Amino acid sequence: MDIYLKYILIGLTIALPIGAITVEMIKQGLKNGFIHGWAVGLGGMTIDLTLIVVLYFGGASVLSLPYIQIPLWLIGAGFLGYLGYDSIRNADKDITPADSKTQKSFFATYRNGLLVAISPGNLVFWVSVFGAVLASSYDTRQQGGFVIAACGILSGILAHDIVLLSIVSVTRKVMSRQAIKIVSIIAGLLLIGFALYFVYEFVLALMPYLRS
């Protein structure tokens, strides 16, 4: 229980800073309601869970390889750039009034969460946070520790998402269509900003190999 509670707090701490996932969740939550905002969070958590499974079965050394991480900066930039452009282009579309049923596909917003979560930053986090726990998980007597820690972090992230989207859902009821459109444009610009940052990190990671 101590391990579980500790990693719930770690999950909450990791989820609190504003990142690309949070931006997309808020945008979808405002435009289409709680469920669609949560779909983005679930998409991100699907990637997180996949990485946990990969790490548990010894994938940490593979994920740490530069030729695995470096291309992902560019791939992540492409996904975020596309989502940012789409957010700006369709800022005035797919806005569902708070008292109406949305027509947007749940899978479409879930897919956005998957795309946003694919980044080396996510890989580095899981490799570093679970480094010590992973080492002990090879001891058959302590295999449960890794699973409990993983569940704790995912629970913390889930709790953050639910609280955030509950606030967004209440805010959505008092916001005009024009205000939601402006938020969507701002979200798009932020996503493009994250994409440019990923490109910058890609160039930095590539420079030592270009000089050699």
Side-chain angles (χ1 to χ4, degrees):
M1 182 58 69
D2 289 342
I3 295 175
Y4 181 68
L5 292 176
K6 172 186 174 182
Y7 279 92
I8 284 180
L9 292 176
I10 291 177
L12 281 169
T13 303
I14 292 301
L16 282 175
I18 299 295
I21 282 280
T22 305
V23 171
E24 184 66 16
M25 282 173 58
I26 292 174
K27 185 195 79 175
Q28 292 294 342
L30 286 175
K31 294 185 77 171
N32 296 292
F34 180 94
I35 294 299
H36 283 271
W38 196 34
V40 175
L42 289 177
M45 289 181 66
T46 300
I47 297 297
D48 294 340
L49 181 59
T50 302
L51 289 174
I52 289 172
V53 172
V54 170
L55 289 175
Y56 185 80
F57 287 104
S61 57
V62 176
L63 294 178
S64 300
L65 294 173
Y67 60 79
I68 296 295
Q69 289 190 6
I70 292 176
L72 283 176
W73 284 115
L74 201 56
I75 294 171
F79 286 151
L80 291 181
Y82 167 75
L83 291 175
Y85 167 74
D86 185 67
S87 180
I88 295 171
R89 186 186 62 170
N90 297 312
D92 196 36
K93 300 177 182 177
D94 299 325
I95 298 178
T96 306
D99 57 351
S100 301
K101 185 177 180 180
T102 181
Q103 300 299 315
K104 189 175 180 66
S105 164
F106 178 88
F107 177 76
T109 43
Y110 173 79
R111 179 201 60 201
N112 285 6
L114 291 175
L115 296 180
V116 173
I118 298 175
S119 73
N122 216 21
L123 299 182
V124 170
F125 161 69
W126 288 112
V127 170
S128 59
V129 166
F130 278 107
V133 183
L134 181 64
S136 65
S137 72
Y138 292 121
D139 186 339
T140 55
R141 295 168 299 175
Q142 301 182 36
Q143 284 183 348
F146 184 84
V147 177
I148 293 171
C151 290
I153 284 192
L154 291 176
S155 296
I157 294 172
L158 181 61
H160 165 270
D161 292 352
I162 290 175
V163 172
L164 173 66
L165 288 167
S166 297
I167 296 171
V168 170
S169 294
V170 173
T171 305
R172 175 176 179 247
K173 295 178 181 178
V174 297
M175 289 184 70
S176 66
R177 185 182 183 91
Q178 183 63 23
I180 293 176
K181 175 184 175 180
I182 292 172
V183 170
S184 184
I185 292 173
I186 293 172
L189 292 173
L190 288 173
L191 289 172
I192 291 173
F194 281 117
L196 293 175
Y197 170 73
F198 277 24
V199 172
Y200 171 73
E201 289 291 342
F202 169 75
V203 172
L204 284 184
L206 203 59
M207 286 303 290
Y209 299 96
L210 295 177
R211 291 171 181 167
S212 60

